[in-house]
Amino acid sequence: MGLLRIMMPPKFQLLALLAFAVAMFFLENQIQKLEESRVKLERAIARHEVHEIEERHTQDGLREREAPSAAGGEDVVVIYNRVPKTASTSFTNIAYDLCGKNRYHVLHINTTKNNPVMSMQDQVRFVKNVTEWREMKPAFYHGHVSFLDFTKFGVKKKPVYINVIRDPIERLVSYYYFLRFGDDYRPGLRRRKQGDKKTFDECVSAGGSDCAPEKLWLQIPFFCGHYSECWNVGSHWALEQAKYNLVNEYLLVGVTEELEDFVMMLEAALPRFFRGATELYKTGKKSHLRKTSEKKPPTKESSAKLQQSAIWKMENEFYEFALEQFQFVRAHAVREKDGELYLLAQNFFYEKIYPKTN
C-alpha cells in the first residue's frame, strides 16, 4: 500500500509561516519589555536602598553635629598655601566670613618675613599641629608657605591642599605696585618701596632688579615645595615637580582670572567648609576686597621683553598647565546658561547593593 502523504497547499504554508513570524516578533517584543521593566525595577530598588542609606547617614551627621567629634568630616584639614598677589586675601576672607556659620576654624600661618620655606624643626612642629590639634578641627589653614609633603613625616591622613595661581606677568606687576603703593585693604600701612614713583615700564626699560625675570620665579617653587632645587631659578626639575604636585597633591587649583568658578566648584567639593561661598562671592562686599593701588598695566613692549626670558617661559608653561587642568575639571562640573554658571547634577547612582538591608 502506498504511503499516504498529506500536503498543505502553498498558500496555507505561507500564511502559517507569516503567523509564526508574527508570533515570534510579538514574543520577543514582550520579552524585551519585561527586561526593560526588570532593569527599571532594579534601579528603583537600588535608589530606594541608597536613599535609606543616605537617610541614616544624614541622621548620623545630625547626631555628630549635636555632639562634635574628630570623626568623619570633623577631622578634615584644608591648607591653602597662598601665592602672593593672586587674589588670595579676597578668597581667604570668604573662608573667614563662613567659618562661624559652617563651624570650622581659620588659622593664618604667619612666617617670619613671609619666608615660604620652613626650617626642618618648624616643619615637624607644623605637621604635628595640623594633625594632632583636635580642638581646632575642622580647620582651614592659610599662609604664604610652599607645599609641604606630609607623608615624609609618617602621617597617614594628609590635609586637603587647594590653591590659586595667576598669569605670571600680571602677578609680578601687581606685586611691584603693591610694594610701592599698598592696597585698599590697609591703606595706611607703609610699604617697603613706598616713595619710589618709578612705573613698572620704566623699571623694565632701565633693567631694574624689582622687575627682572628672576622675580617671576615664584609660583613654580610654591608648588614644588621644600626641596632646595625648587628654589633654583630656572630649574626644569622644579617645573616638573610643581606639575606633579599640582595634579597629585591638590584637590583643586584655580586661577585668579576665573575665581568665581573656583569658588563654585569648591562649594560643591567641600560643602563642609564652603557652603554659601558662591552666593557670598557674588553678593558680599568682600568679593574683591583687596585691590592694589596705583597699578598701571604694562605696555606690550615691557611684556614682550619679559617674555623673551627662559624663566617667563617656564612660569607661563606652569600657568598654562594649571589653567588647562582647571578648565578640564570645570568642563565636567558646570554648565553655562543665560550667562550664569550651574553645577551639574549627580550623574551616577549605585545598584546591586548586597547584602540586602531589612
Side-chain angles (χ1 to χ4, degrees), residues 237-263:
W237 182 91
L239 170 60
E240 294 306 316
Q241 185 65 33
K243 287 181 179 180
Y244 176 88
N245 287 343
L246 185 148
V247 171
N248 292 282
E249 302 292 349
Y250 285 79
L251 172 68
L252 186 65
V253 176
V255 293
T256 305
E257 295 79 5
E258 299 172 13
L259 195 60
E260 181 179 335
D261 299 13
F262 174 71
V263 171

PDB file of all heavy atoms in Angstrom, residues 237-263:
ATOM      1  N   TRP A 237      63.690  70.662  36.714  1.00  0.00           N
ATOM      2  CA  TRP A 237      63.230  69.658  37.676  1.00  0.00           C
ATOM      3  C   TRP A 237      62.134  70.260  38.554  1.00  0.00           C
ATOM      4  O   TRP A 237      61.124  69.600  38.837  1.00  0.00           O
ATOM      5  CB  TRP A 237      64.388  69.187  38.540  1.00  0.00           C
ATOM      6  CG  TRP A 237      63.999  68.122  39.528  1.00  0.00           C
ATOM      7  CD1 TRP A 237      64.031  66.779  39.349  1.00  0.00           C
ATOM      8  CD2 TRP A 237      63.505  68.333  40.867  1.00  0.00           C
ATOM      9  NE1 TRP A 237      63.574  66.133  40.473  1.00  0.00           N
ATOM     10  CE2 TRP A 237      63.242  67.051  41.418  1.00  0.00           C
ATOM     11  CE3 TRP A 237      63.242  69.462  41.647  1.00  0.00           C
ATOM     12  CZ2 TRP A 237      62.743  66.883  42.716  1.00  0.00           C
ATOM     13  CZ3 TRP A 237      62.739  69.294  42.931  1.00  0.00           C
ATOM     14  CH2 TRP A 237      62.497  68.019  43.465  1.00  0.00           C
ATOM     15  N   ALA A 238      62.322  71.503  38.978  1.00  0.00           N
ATOM     16  CA  ALA A 238      61.325  72.170  39.815  1.00  0.00           C
ATOM     17  C   ALA A 238      60.003  72.321  39.076  1.00  0.00           C
ATOM     18  O   ALA A 238      58.929  72.144  39.660  1.00  0.00           O
ATOM     19  CB  ALA A 238      61.848  73.537  40.255  1.00  0.00           C
ATOM     20  N   LEU A 239      60.065  72.665  37.786  1.00  0.00           N
ATOM     21  CA  LEU A 239      58.852  72.806  36.985  1.00  0.00           C
ATOM     22  C   LEU A 239      58.077  71.491  36.941  1.00  0.00           C
ATOM     23  O   LEU A 239      56.856  71.471  37.159  1.00  0.00           O
ATOM     24  CB  LEU A 239      59.208  73.262  35.570  1.00  0.00           C
ATOM     25  CG  LEU A 239      58.077  73.233  34.531  1.00  0.00           C
ATOM     26  CD1 LEU A 239      56.923  74.125  34.948  1.00  0.00           C
ATOM     27  CD2 LEU A 239      58.605  73.632  33.153  1.00  0.00           C
ATOM     28  N   GLU A 240      58.777  70.395  36.664  1.00  0.00           N
ATOM     29  CA  GLU A 240      58.110  69.097  36.571  1.00  0.00           C
ATOM     30  C   GLU A 240      57.564  68.646  37.920  1.00  0.00           C
ATOM     31  O   GLU A 240      56.493  68.044  37.999  1.00  0.00           O
ATOM     32  CB  GLU A 240      59.071  68.051  35.993  1.00  0.00           C
ATOM     33  CG  GLU A 240      59.477  68.318  34.549  1.00  0.00           C
ATOM     34  CD  GLU A 240      58.285  68.497  33.629  1.00  0.00           C
ATOM     35  OE1 GLU A 240      57.316  67.705  33.733  1.00  0.00           O
ATOM     36  OE2 GLU A 240      58.300  69.438  32.814  1.00  0.00           O
ATOM     37  N   GLN A 241      58.311  68.941  39.002  1.00  0.00           N
ATOM     38  CA  GLN A 241      57.838  68.573  40.342  1.00  0.00           C
ATOM     39  C   GLN A 241      56.593  69.382  40.709  1.00  0.00           C
ATOM     40  O   GLN A 241      55.658  68.859  41.330  1.00  0.00           O
ATOM     41  CB  GLN A 241      58.937  68.804  41.378  1.00  0.00           C
ATOM     42  CG  GLN A 241      58.591  68.342  42.784  1.00  0.00           C
ATOM     43  CD  GLN A 241      58.403  66.837  42.887  1.00  0.00           C
ATOM     44  OE1 GLN A 241      59.060  66.075  42.188  1.00  0.00           O
ATOM     45  NE2 GLN A 241      57.500  66.411  43.757  1.00  0.00           N
ATOM     46  N   ALA A 242      56.576  70.654  40.314  1.00  0.00           N
ATOM     47  CA  ALA A 242      55.414  71.505  40.576  1.00  0.00           C
ATOM     48  C   ALA A 242      54.187  70.965  39.847  1.00  0.00           C
ATOM     49  O   ALA A 242      53.082  70.930  40.397  1.00  0.00           O
ATOM     50  CB  ALA A 242      55.701  72.939  40.153  1.00  0.00           C
ATOM     51  N   LYS A 243      54.361  70.548  38.608  1.00  0.00           N
ATOM     52  CA  LYS A 243      53.258  69.962  37.844  1.00  0.00           C
ATOM     53  C   LYS A 243      52.758  68.684  38.518  1.00  0.00           C
ATOM     54  O   LYS A 243      51.544  68.457  38.642  1.00  0.00           O
ATOM     55  CB  LYS A 243      53.707  69.638  36.417  1.00  0.00           C
ATOM     56  CG  LYS A 243      53.905  70.840  35.520  1.00  0.00           C
ATOM     57  CD  LYS A 243      54.331  70.364  34.138  1.00  0.00           C
ATOM     58  CE  LYS A 243      54.531  71.498  33.166  1.00  0.00           C
ATOM     59  NZ  LYS A 243      54.954  70.995  31.825  1.00  0.00           N
ATOM     60  N   TYR A 244      53.708  67.843  38.937  1.00  0.00           N
ATOM     61  CA  TYR A 244      53.341  66.583  39.592  1.00  0.00           C
ATOM     62  C   TYR A 244      52.529  66.852  40.852  1.00  0.00           C
ATOM     63  O   TYR A 244      51.491  66.218  41.087  1.00  0.00           O
ATOM     64  CB  TYR A 244      54.603  65.788  39.924  1.00  0.00           C
ATOM     65  CG  TYR A 244      54.308  64.518  40.695  1.00  0.00           C
ATOM     66  CD1 TYR A 244      54.017  63.329  40.024  1.00  0.00           C
ATOM     67  CD2 TYR A 244      54.305  64.511  42.090  1.00  0.00           C
ATOM     68  CE1 TYR A 244      53.727  62.168  40.723  1.00  0.00           C
ATOM     69  CE2 TYR A 244      54.010  63.352  42.796  1.00  0.00           C
ATOM     70  CZ  TYR A 244      53.724  62.181  42.110  1.00  0.00           C
ATOM     71  OH  TYR A 244      53.427  61.040  42.817  1.00  0.00           O
ATOM     72  N   ASN A 245      52.987  67.787  41.671  1.00  0.00           N
ATOM     73  CA  ASN A 245      52.276  68.092  42.916  1.00  0.00           C
ATOM     74  C   ASN A 245      50.891  68.668  42.645  1.00  0.00           C
ATOM     75  O   ASN A 245      49.930  68.352  43.346  1.00  0.00           O
ATOM     76  CB  ASN A 245      53.093  69.064  43.766  1.00  0.00           C
ATOM     77  CG  ASN A 245      54.300  68.399  44.403  1.00  0.00           C
ATOM     78  OD1 ASN A 245      54.388  67.173  44.489  1.00  0.00           O
ATOM     79  ND2 ASN A 245      55.249  69.198  44.848  1.00  0.00           N
ATOM     80  N   LEU A 246      50.804  69.532  41.639  1.00  0.00           N
ATOM     81  CA  LEU A 246      49.507  70.143  41.329  1.00  0.00           C
ATOM     82  C   LEU A 246      48.462  69.067  41.008  1.00  0.00           C
ATOM     83  O   LEU A 246      47.332  69.129  41.483  1.00  0.00           O
ATOM     84  CB  LEU A 246      49.654  71.104  40.153  1.00  0.00           C
ATOM     85  CG  LEU A 246      48.421  71.921  39.765  1.00  0.00           C
ATOM     86  CD1 LEU A 246      48.827  73.287  39.213  1.00  0.00           C
ATOM     87  CD2 LEU A 246      47.558  71.207  38.713  1.00  0.00           C
ATOM     88  N   VAL A 247      48.858  68.078  40.219  1.00  0.00           N
ATOM     89  CA  VAL A 247      47.923  67.037  39.796  1.00  0.00           C
ATOM     90  C   VAL A 247      47.659  66.018  40.901  1.00  0.00           C
ATOM     91  O   VAL A 247      46.531  65.558  41.087  1.00  0.00           O
ATOM     92  CB  VAL A 247      48.456  66.321  38.537  1.00  0.00           C
ATOM     93  CG1 VAL A 247      47.610  65.098  38.207  1.00  0.00           C
ATOM     94  CG2 VAL A 247      48.483  67.274  37.348  1.00  0.00           C
ATOM     95  N   ASN A 248      48.688  65.675  41.667  1.00  0.00           N
ATOM     96  CA  ASN A 248      48.576  64.566  42.611  1.00  0.00           C
ATOM     97  C   ASN A 248      48.316  64.964  44.055  1.00  0.00           C
ATOM     98  O   ASN A 248      47.829  64.141  44.844  1.00  0.00           O
ATOM     99  CB  ASN A 248      49.865  63.722  42.556  1.00  0.00           C
ATOM    100  CG  ASN A 248      50.020  62.999  41.243  1.00  0.00           C
ATOM    101  OD1 ASN A 248      49.392  61.981  40.994  1.00  0.00           O
ATOM    102  ND2 ASN A 248      50.874  63.532  40.378  1.00  0.00           N
ATOM    103  N   GLU A 249      48.635  66.191  44.430  1.00  0.00           N
ATOM    104  CA  GLU A 249      48.544  66.579  45.838  1.00  0.00           C
ATOM    105  C   GLU A 249      47.476  67.630  46.124  1.00  0.00           C
ATOM    106  O   GLU A 249      47.156  67.877  47.282  1.00  0.00           O
ATOM    107  CB  GLU A 249      49.905  67.112  46.324  1.00  0.00           C
ATOM    108  CG  GLU A 249      51.062  66.120  46.167  1.00  0.00           C
ATOM    109  CD  GLU A 249      50.936  64.912  47.087  1.00  0.00           C
ATOM    110  OE1 GLU A 249      50.080  64.927  47.992  1.00  0.00           O
ATOM    111  OE2 GLU A 249      51.684  63.947  46.898  1.00  0.00           O
ATOM    112  N   TYR A 250      46.931  68.254  45.089  1.00  0.00           N
ATOM    113  CA  TYR A 250      45.948  69.327  45.287  1.00  0.00           C
ATOM    114  C   TYR A 250      44.566  68.867  44.850  1.00  0.00           C
ATOM    115  O   TYR A 250      44.400  68.313  43.758  1.00  0.00           O
ATOM    116  CB  TYR A 250      46.344  70.581  44.499  1.00  0.00           C
ATOM    117  CG  TYR A 250      47.481  71.357  45.124  1.00  0.00           C
ATOM    118  CD1 TYR A 250      48.805  70.938  44.978  1.00  0.00           C
ATOM    119  CD2 TYR A 250      47.234  72.502  45.876  1.00  0.00           C
ATOM    120  CE1 TYR A 250      49.848  71.639  45.561  1.00  0.00           C
ATOM    121  CE2 TYR A 250      48.273  73.215  46.454  1.00  0.00           C
ATOM    122  CZ  TYR A 250      49.573  72.777  46.298  1.00  0.00           C
ATOM    123  OH  TYR A 250      50.606  73.481  46.873  1.00  0.00           O
ATOM    124  N   LEU A 251      43.587  69.116  45.695  1.00  0.00           N
ATOM    125  CA  LEU A 251      42.209  68.819  45.325  1.00  0.00           C
ATOM    126  C   LEU A 251      41.773  69.688  44.151  1.00  0.00           C
ATOM    127  O   LEU A 251      41.176  69.212  43.192  1.00  0.00           O
ATOM    128  CB  LEU A 251      41.272  69.058  46.522  1.00  0.00           C
ATOM    129  CG  LEU A 251      39.781  68.972  46.221  1.00  0.00           C
ATOM    130  CD1 LEU A 251      39.403  67.533  45.872  1.00  0.00           C
ATOM    131  CD2 LEU A 251      38.953  69.483  47.384  1.00  0.00           C
ATOM    132  N   LEU A 252      42.082  70.984  44.231  1.00  0.00           N
ATOM    133  CA  LEU A 252      41.685  71.912  43.180  1.00  0.00           C
ATOM    134  C   LEU A 252      42.615  73.120  43.187  1.00  0.00           C
ATOM    135  O   LEU A 252      42.931  73.657  44.236  1.00  0.00           O
ATOM    136  CB  LEU A 252      40.240  72.379  43.404  1.00  0.00           C
ATOM    137  CG  LEU A 252      39.620  73.252  42.314  1.00  0.00           C
ATOM    138  CD1 LEU A 252      39.488  72.461  41.012  1.00  0.00           C
ATOM    139  CD2 LEU A 252      38.254  73.776  42.742  1.00  0.00           C
ATOM    140  N   VAL A 253      43.036  73.515  41.989  1.00  0.00           N
ATOM    141  CA  VAL A 253      43.848  74.728  41.810  1.00  0.00           C
ATOM    142  C   VAL A 253      43.121  75.603  40.801  1.00  0.00           C
ATOM    143  O   VAL A 253      42.920  75.207  39.647  1.00  0.00           O
ATOM    144  CB  VAL A 253      45.272  74.410  41.316  1.00  0.00           C
ATOM    145  CG1 VAL A 253      46.043  75.702  41.040  1.00  0.00           C
ATOM    146  CG2 VAL A 253      46.010  73.553  42.340  1.00  0.00           C
ATOM    147  N   GLY A 254      42.713  76.788  41.249  1.00  0.00           N
ATOM    148  CA  GLY A 254      42.012  77.718  40.375  1.00  0.00           C
ATOM    149  C   GLY A 254      42.947  78.771  39.818  1.00  0.00           C
ATOM    150  O   GLY A 254      44.151  78.763  40.070  1.00  0.00           O
ATOM    151  N   VAL A 255      42.378  79.683  39.052  1.00  0.00           N
ATOM    152  CA  VAL A 255      43.145  80.805  38.511  1.00  0.00           C
ATOM    153  C   VAL A 255      42.440  82.097  38.900  1.00  0.00           C
ATOM    154  O   VAL A 255      41.206  82.147  38.983  1.00  0.00           O
ATOM    155  CB  VAL A 255      43.306  80.715  36.976  1.00  0.00           C
ATOM    156  CG1 VAL A 255      44.183  79.542  36.593  1.00  0.00           C
ATOM    157  CG2 VAL A 255      41.953  80.618  36.283  1.00  0.00           C
ATOM    158  N   THR A 256      43.219  83.135  39.128  1.00  0.00           N
ATOM    159  CA  THR A 256      42.676  84.424  39.561  1.00  0.00           C
ATOM    160  C   THR A 256      41.644  84.952  38.584  1.00  0.00           C
ATOM    161  O   THR A 256      40.620  85.526  38.980  1.00  0.00           O
ATOM    162  CB  THR A 256      43.809  85.447  39.711  1.00  0.00           C
ATOM    163  OG1 THR A 256      44.799  84.921  40.603  1.00  0.00           O
ATOM    164  CG2 THR A 256      43.302  86.773  40.243  1.00  0.00           C
ATOM    165  N   GLU A 257      41.918  84.743  37.300  1.00  0.00           N
ATOM    166  CA  GLU A 257      41.049  85.277  36.266  1.00  0.00           C
ATOM    167  C   GLU A 257      39.663  84.615  36.257  1.00  0.00           C
ATOM    168  O   GLU A 257      38.731  85.149  35.650  1.00  0.00           O
ATOM    169  CB  GLU A 257      41.721  85.100  34.896  1.00  0.00           C
ATOM    170  CG  GLU A 257      43.010  85.902  34.721  1.00  0.00           C
ATOM    171  CD  GLU A 257      44.231  85.260  35.387  1.00  0.00           C
ATOM    172  OE1 GLU A 257      44.103  84.133  35.923  1.00  0.00           O
ATOM    173  OE2 GLU A 257      45.305  85.878  35.375  1.00  0.00           O
ATOM    174  N   GLU A 258      39.516  83.456  36.892  1.00  0.00           N
ATOM    175  CA  GLU A 258      38.232  82.742  36.922  1.00  0.00           C
ATOM    176  C   GLU A 258      37.928  82.321  38.356  1.00  0.00           C
ATOM    177  O   GLU A 258      37.586  81.164  38.628  1.00  0.00           O
ATOM    178  CB  GLU A 258      38.287  81.542  35.978  1.00  0.00           C
ATOM    179  CG  GLU A 258      38.529  81.946  34.529  1.00  0.00           C
ATOM    180  CD  GLU A 258      38.767  80.760  33.603  1.00  0.00           C
ATOM    181  OE1 GLU A 258      38.508  79.612  34.020  1.00  0.00           O
ATOM    182  OE2 GLU A 258      39.211  80.979  32.470  1.00  0.00           O
ATOM    183  N   LEU A 259      38.025  83.281  39.264  1.00  0.00           N
ATOM    184  CA  LEU A 259      37.915  82.982  40.693  1.00  0.00           C
ATOM    185  C   LEU A 259      36.507  82.525  41.082  1.00  0.00           C
ATOM    186  O   LEU A 259      36.354  81.644  41.938  1.00  0.00           O
ATOM    187  CB  LEU A 259      38.313  84.214  41.516  1.00  0.00           C
ATOM    188  CG  LEU A 259      38.584  83.984  42.994  1.00  0.00           C
ATOM    189  CD1 LEU A 259      39.716  82.995  43.205  1.00  0.00           C
ATOM    190  CD2 LEU A 259      38.909  85.309  43.694  1.00  0.00           C
ATOM    191  N   GLU A 260      35.489  83.100  40.465  1.00  0.00           N
ATOM    192  CA  GLU A 260      34.125  82.714  40.820  1.00  0.00           C
ATOM    193  C   GLU A 260      33.875  81.234  40.528  1.00  0.00           C
ATOM    194  O   GLU A 260      33.231  80.533  41.317  1.00  0.00           O
ATOM    195  CB  GLU A 260      33.105  83.571  40.065  1.00  0.00           C
ATOM    196  CG  GLU A 260      31.658  83.232  40.426  1.00  0.00           C
ATOM    197  CD  GLU A 260      30.649  84.094  39.683  1.00  0.00           C
ATOM    198  OE1 GLU A 260      30.994  85.220  39.265  1.00  0.00           O
ATOM    199  OE2 GLU A 260      29.496  83.630  39.519  1.00  0.00           O
ATOM    200  N   ASP A 261      34.386  80.752  39.398  1.00  0.00           N
ATOM    201  CA  ASP A 261      34.236  79.337  39.057  1.00  0.00           C
ATOM    202  C   ASP A 261      34.939  78.457  40.089  1.00  0.00           C
ATOM    203  O   ASP A 261      34.439  77.391  40.464  1.00  0.00           O
ATOM    204  CB  ASP A 261      34.829  79.069  37.671  1.00  0.00           C
ATOM    205  CG  ASP A 261      34.142  79.869  36.582  1.00  0.00           C
ATOM    206  OD1 ASP A 261      33.381  80.796  36.920  1.00  0.00           O
ATOM    207  OD2 ASP A 261      34.365  79.581  35.401  1.00  0.00           O
ATOM    208  N   PHE A 262      36.107  78.901  40.532  1.00  0.00           N
ATOM    209  CA  PHE A 262      36.864  78.177  41.553  1.00  0.00           C
ATOM    210  C   PHE A 262      36.061  78.078  42.849  1.00  0.00           C
ATOM    211  O   PHE A 262      35.966  77.006  43.454  1.00  0.00           O
ATOM    212  CB  PHE A 262      38.190  78.913  41.792  1.00  0.00           C
ATOM    213  CG  PHE A 262      39.017  78.368  42.924  1.00  0.00           C
ATOM    214  CD1 PHE A 262      39.666  77.150  42.823  1.00  0.00           C
ATOM    215  CD2 PHE A 262      39.166  79.105  44.095  1.00  0.00           C
ATOM    216  CE1 PHE A 262      40.442  76.658  43.876  1.00  0.00           C
ATOM    217  CE2 PHE A 262      39.936  78.625  45.143  1.00  0.00           C
ATOM    218  CZ  PHE A 262      40.579  77.401  45.031  1.00  0.00           C
ATOM    219  N   VAL A 263      35.462  79.182  43.251  1.00  0.00           N
ATOM    220  CA  VAL A 263      34.665  79.205  44.481  1.00  0.00           C
ATOM    221  C   VAL A 263      33.464  78.269  44.350  1.00  0.00           C
ATOM    222  O   VAL A 263      33.139  77.509  45.275  1.00  0.00           O
ATOM    223  CB  VAL A 263      34.201  80.645  44.794  1.00  0.00           C
ATOM    224  CG1 VAL A 263      33.193  80.652  45.935  1.00  0.00           C
ATOM    225  CG2 VAL A 263      35.396  81.518  45.147  1.00  0.00           C
TER     226      VAL A 263
END
